[in-house]
């Protein structure tokens, strides 16, 4: 449903802007229209969590996994809400289920480690230790076992509460060597820690003699990485010159030197894309994703790989697969560009499905079934058949006209009027459409508008008996109380303006003496529009 999608996008935008209550409202409105949409509950769970409403976040997360039990993100939402509520064991269990579904999901892995650290921090002997310290300790195999050492924990707690106590750590070389990076300090054993606030460094005077150029960061890299970067640059230069075979040679050499780097894999995929080797491009991107997952690549690079697969499928007009991979890209990293691409792809898919469903032969079969039901007085069933006929051949006006007749019988005038408008839109000369419109407007007690519709029908066929009968009936009804009609018409500013126009007064006088002059005046669009207004107001009638 378009309305649901619009509300969801409004919610997403509000959530990104930090307007959590507004996001919750949009998601709630969307859920009211689509109660079984697991994504809406997932998004609202995230909004509730951001707003600090963790119980509601948990309820929506549980609803999410109930609706779609094989979706890892639902368990991520559940694990997050449980962690906020301090239910660490249940949170860990939820994250583990998510990882069973997606074993290589890096965000899930990271969240699980963080919850484990929080649980550890909440326990006896760990309560005063910052969770980020514990997370780092847990993630490093060389320090994980320290958490089982009471002496280590005791000293670490002292450091947390008393910065000077770090000197105690410095006496323990084993602990010292492993905590340097964690604590972010330059800790040379035996040198006391400065407890005064650090002073800003004094600016150094420039040296008189020219300084030697600093080494680039690449110079500090291992030889293989340096060479790989060089090959990549050579590949980029060739790529810009559209020398794709040369670019491939350099990118593949970079991969040989550093096979775990996702960027080089994506560069190769880019060359295949430019060469219109779309199957190779897709295969290369899939390989890049696997390598990226294994080596904890930046999620933006994973998203880029999914996007490139989507582009490749789009090029071969496999719209549904393109949509799948654009959605996967969005799940890794949301960008306005991919959001726009998804919207465009959705429109293409819907249009393709609509075209694929068109079958004029089946449309006629459905129309005949509808006609039979109409004759039997079963108007609701007739409507179903005419509706199917419209889907099978949406540009044929007679199906709309037939369905309008059914709506008229059921007094569903508003729906019938829409079908008449559609019918006339496709074929302005379809006389039955104008007559049906006139009858519906009569049923809606809009006599003047009905008069106009019958007038259009008579312009197409002046001898049509249905149009003549309808026109006369409306004319009698409109003129039954001439004084009331005149008062109502003269209260209309537009009517007043027309009657004050000297040219229009001359035309009206001419029409009284020579009715044939009307046809000439109707050729002028401005005059025809003014006469139409006077006709609808009931001030004039044309016979």
């Amino acid at each position: 449903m378009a309305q649901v999608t619009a509300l969801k996008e409004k919610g997403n935008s509000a959530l990104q802007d930090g307007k959590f209550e507004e996001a919750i409202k949009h998601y709630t409105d969307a859920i009211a229209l689509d109660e079984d949409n697991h994504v809406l509950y997932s998004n609202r769970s995230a909004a509730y969590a951001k707003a600090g409403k963790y119980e509601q976040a948990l309820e929506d997360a549980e609803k999410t996994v109930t609706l779609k039990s094989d979706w890892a993100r639902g368990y991520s939402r559940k694990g997050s809400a449980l962690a906020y509520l301090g239910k660490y064991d249940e949170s860990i269990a939820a994250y583990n289920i998510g990882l069973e579904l997606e074993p290589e999901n890096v965000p899930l892995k990271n969240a699980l480690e963080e919850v484990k650290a929080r649980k550890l921090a909440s326990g006896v002997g760990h309560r005063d230790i910052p969770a980020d310290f514990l997370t780092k300790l847990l993630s490093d195999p060389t320090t994980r076992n320290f958490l089982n050492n009471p002496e280590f924990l005791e000293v670490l707690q002292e450091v947390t509460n008393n910065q000077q106590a770090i000197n105690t750590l410095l006496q323990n070389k084993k602990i010292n060597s492993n905590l340097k990076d964690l604590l972010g300090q330059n800790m040379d054993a035996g040198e006391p820690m400065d407890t005064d606030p650090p002073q800003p460094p004094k600016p150094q005077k420039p040296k008189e003699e020219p300084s030697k150029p600093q080494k680039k960061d690449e110079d500090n890299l291992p030889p293989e990485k340096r060479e790989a970067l060089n090959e990549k640059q050579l590949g980029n230069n060739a790529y810009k010159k559209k020398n794709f075979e040369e670019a491939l040679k350099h990118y593949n050499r970079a991969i040989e030197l550093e096979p775990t780097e996702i960027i080089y894999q994506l560069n190769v995929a880019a060359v295949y894309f430019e060469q219109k080797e779309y199957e190779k491009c897709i295969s290369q991107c899939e390989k890049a994703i696997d390598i990226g997952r294994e080596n904890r690549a930046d999620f933006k690079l994973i998203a880029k790989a999914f996007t490139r697969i989507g582009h490749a499928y789009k090029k071969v007009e496999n719209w549904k697969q393109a949509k799948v991979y654009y959605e996967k890209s969005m799940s890794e990293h949301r960008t306005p560009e991919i959001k726009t691409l998804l919207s465009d792809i959705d429109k293409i898919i819907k249009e393709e499905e609509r075209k694929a469903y068109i079958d004029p032969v089946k449309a006629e079969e459905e129309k005949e079934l509808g006609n039979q039901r109409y004759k039997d007085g079963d108007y609701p069933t007739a409507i179903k058949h005419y509706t199917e006929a419209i889907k099978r051949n949406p540009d044929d006006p007679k199906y709309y006209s037939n369905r309008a007749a059914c709506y008229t019988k059921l007094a569903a005038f508003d729906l019938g009027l829409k079908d008449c408008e559609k019918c006339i839109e496709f074929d302005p000369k379809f006389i039955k459409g104008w007559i049906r419109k006139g009858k519906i407007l009569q049923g809606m007690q809009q006599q003047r508008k009905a008069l106009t519709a019958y007038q259009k029908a008579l312009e197409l066929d002046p001898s049509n008996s249905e149009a003549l009968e309808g026109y006369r009936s409306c004319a009698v009804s409109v003129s039954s109380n001439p004084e009331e009609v005149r008062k109502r018409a003269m209260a209309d500013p537009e009517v007043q303006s027309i009657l004050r126009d000297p040219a229009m007064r001359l035309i009206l006088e001419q029409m009284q003496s020579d009715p044939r002059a009307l046809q000439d005046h109707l050729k002028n669009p401005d005059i025809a529009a003014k006469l139409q207004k006077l006709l609808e107001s009931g001030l004039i009638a044309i016979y």
Side-chain angles (χ1 to χ4, degrees), residues 431 435 454-472 543:
I431 190 169
I435 293 171
Y454 287 128
Q455 177 65 31
K456 289 285 187 181
L458 288 171
E459 289 174 10
L460 295 168
D461 182 5
S463 62
N464 187 285
S465 59
E466 276 190 281
L468 283 167
E469 183 183 346
Y471 184 87
R472 287 168 182 159
Y543 296 94

Side-chain angles (χ1 to χ4, degrees), residues 71-195:
W71 195 42
R73 182 168 294 184
Y75 295 98
S76 176
R77 298 284 191 224
K78 184 175 180 180
S80 175
L82 287 165
Y84 279 123
L85 292 168
K87 300 178 179 180
Y88 300 120
D89 288 333
E90 294 177 54
S91 174
I92 290 168
Y95 281 126
N96 279 328
I97 295 173
L99 285 169
E100 287 177 10
L101 295 169
E102 291 187 18
E104 300 304 320
N105 189 312
V106 175
L108 268 175
K109 289 180 179 179
N110 293 340
L112 178 59
E113 291 302 320
E114 185 179 344
V115 173
K116 287 179 179 178
R118 286 192 196 178
K119 178 186 175 184
L120 200 56
S122 68
V124 178
H126 303 70
R127 199 178 305 277
D128 296 325
I129 302 172
D132 58 342
F133 271 23
L134 291 169
T135 301
K136 290 180 180 179
L137 288 165
L138 280 168
S139 62
D140 189 338
T142 62
T143 59
R144 189 179 297 133
N145 292 332
F146 287 171
L147 295 175
N148 298 321
N149 186 327
E151 180 186 354
F152 174 82
L153 294 173
E154 184 179 348
V155 173
L156 193 55
Q157 283 173 318
E158 286 183 28
V159 173
T160 304
N161 297 319
N162 180 359
Q163 197 75 8
Q164 289 183 331
I166 198 167
N167 288 326
T168 307
L169 288 178
L170 301 179
Q171 306 305 317
N172 187 324
K173 292 183 179 180
K174 181 180 179 182
I175 292 175
N176 180 358
S177 64
N178 286 288
L179 257 98
K180 284 183 180 179
D181 293 334
L182 290 171
L183 299 177
Q185 304 288 340
N186 284 323
M187 299 186 296
D188 294 328
E191 186 176 338
M193 183 176 179
D194 188 356
T195 57

Side-chain angles (χ1 to χ4, degrees), residues 369-386 406 409-410:
L369 291 171
N371 291 349
Q372 185 59 51
R373 291 296 185 180
Y374 183 87
K375 290 175 185 176
D376 296 341
D378 186 357
Y379 305 120
T381 305
I383 286 172
K384 289 181 181 179
H385 288 299
Y386 291 140
C406 292
K409 292 289 186 180
L410 295 171

Side-chain angles (χ1 to χ4, degrees), residues 265-312:
Q265 305 285 342
L266 289 174
N267 288 350
V268 170
V271 173
Y272 287 144
F273 187 88
E274 290 297 329
Q275 291 178 320
K276 296 182 173 53
E277 297 278 1
Y278 299 121
E279 288 186 12
K280 287 185 178 180
C281 174
I282 291 167
S283 177
Q284 186 67 31
C285 285
E286 288 172 344
K287 183 179 178 181
I289 291 166
D290 290 340
I291 289 171
R293 298 278 197 214
E294 289 171 6
N295 295 279
R296 297 193 173 188
D298 188 331
F299 59 88
K300 291 180 182 178
L301 293 173
I302 301 293
K304 187 174 183 179
F306 281 128
T307 299
R308 189 157 288 158
I309 294 176
H311 290 340

Side-chain angles (χ1 to χ4, degrees), residues 447-449 451-452 478 531-540:
Q447 304 295 341
R448 294 182 186 82
K449 290 184 178 180
L451 200 66
T452 302
V478 166
L531 288 172
Q532 188 67 39
K533 178 64 181 179
L534 295 177
L535 184 68
E536 291 179 358
S537 71
L539 282 180
I540 64 171

Side-chain angles (χ1 to χ4, degrees), residues 5 32 55 72 83 100 171 202-203 223 228 251 303 310 313 352 410 435 443 446 453 467 513 515 527:
T5 302
E55 291 288 353
E100 287 177 10
Q171 306 305 317
K202 294 180 181 179
Y251 290 145
Y313 277 120
E352 290 291 315
L410 295 171
I435 293 171
Q446 297 183 27
S513 60
I527 294 173

